[in-house]
Amino acid sequence: MVQFAVYPSPFGPIIIGCENNRIVSIRCGRSTVVHCPCAVTDLANTQLQEYFEGKRKFFDLPIELRGTPFQIAVWNALLAIPCGEVRSYTQIAAAIGNPAACRAVGQAANRNPLWIVVPCHRVIGKNSGLTGYAGGLDMKQQLLELEKTS
């Protein structure tokens, strides 16, 4: 069973879900979950705080991606985008061997269960413009700016 822990962040509460000593979800927002921290959620929180402070570029967390095979392929491609860089939906579609799947890549990115750690905020439109982000475009812009300065 997934246990959740809630931690403060510059973007409001972050809810981290853990099951079998693996992080299975990270999201921002209000929550009514019972705060049940464990060593793994505390580790994730520590690494996220370091990231927000500009002290961390890479996450070293035990994660478990849960989704369809296509979603998992997209999320793994997102994990390969270096901190401070961006890719287009077209580039991600090509990277997973399905160049015609740009819209499906966008849908998979929108369903990313591990915000920030799986960096869907690093995906932009092919014209280099910011496009949808579950946390809002302001948050996406702030994360990209944070990565440019760290």
Side-chain angles (χ1 to χ4, degrees):
M1 182 159 97
V2 179
Q3 67 184 73
F4 295 94
V6 183
Y7 301 91
S9 86
F11 301 102
I14 288 190
I15 302 107
I16 302 173
C18 177
E19 186 171 37
N20 299 322
N21 292 315
R22 299 259 183 246
I23 300 297
V24 297
S25 67
I26 298 174
R27 59 186 166 86
C28 294
R30 295 182 180 178
S31 175
T32 58
V33 300
V34 175
H35 179 65
C36 294
C38 66
V40 177
T41 60
D42 286 346
L43 174 64
N45 177 59
T46 296
Q47 290 190 17
L48 285 164
Q49 296 309 317
E50 292 169 352
Y51 168 81
F52 295 137
E53 294 167 3
K55 298 175 183 174
R56 175 175 288 277
K57 293 183 180 191
F58 306 98
F59 294 96
D60 182 22
L61 296 169
I63 64 171
E64 181 179 327
L65 298 173
R66 295 179 175 178
T68 67
F70 180 83
Q71 289 171 327
I72 291 170
V74 169
W75 300 333
N76 279 318
L78 300 180
L79 285 167
I81 304 171
C83 185
E85 295 184 22
V86 294
R87 300 289 185 271
S88 70
Y89 294 98
T90 302
Q91 289 172 309
I92 299 299
I96 63 168
N98 196 342
C102 300
R103 288 180 192 244
V105 165
Q107 291 171 346
N110 186 53
R111 289 180 176 83
N112 171 15
L114 293 169
W115 280 14
I116 302 170
V117 171
V118 174
C120 56
H121 61 278
R122 295 181 189 153
V123 183
I124 59 173
K126 66 180 176 181
N127 64 356
S128 299
L130 293 185
T131 56
Y133 182 64
L137 291 182
D138 286 342
M139 181 179 181
K140 184 173 189 167
Q141 181 66 44
Q142 289 177 45
L143 292 172
L144 291 173
E145 288 175 13
L146 171 72
E147 292 182 0
K148 284 182 186 176
T149 59
S150 57

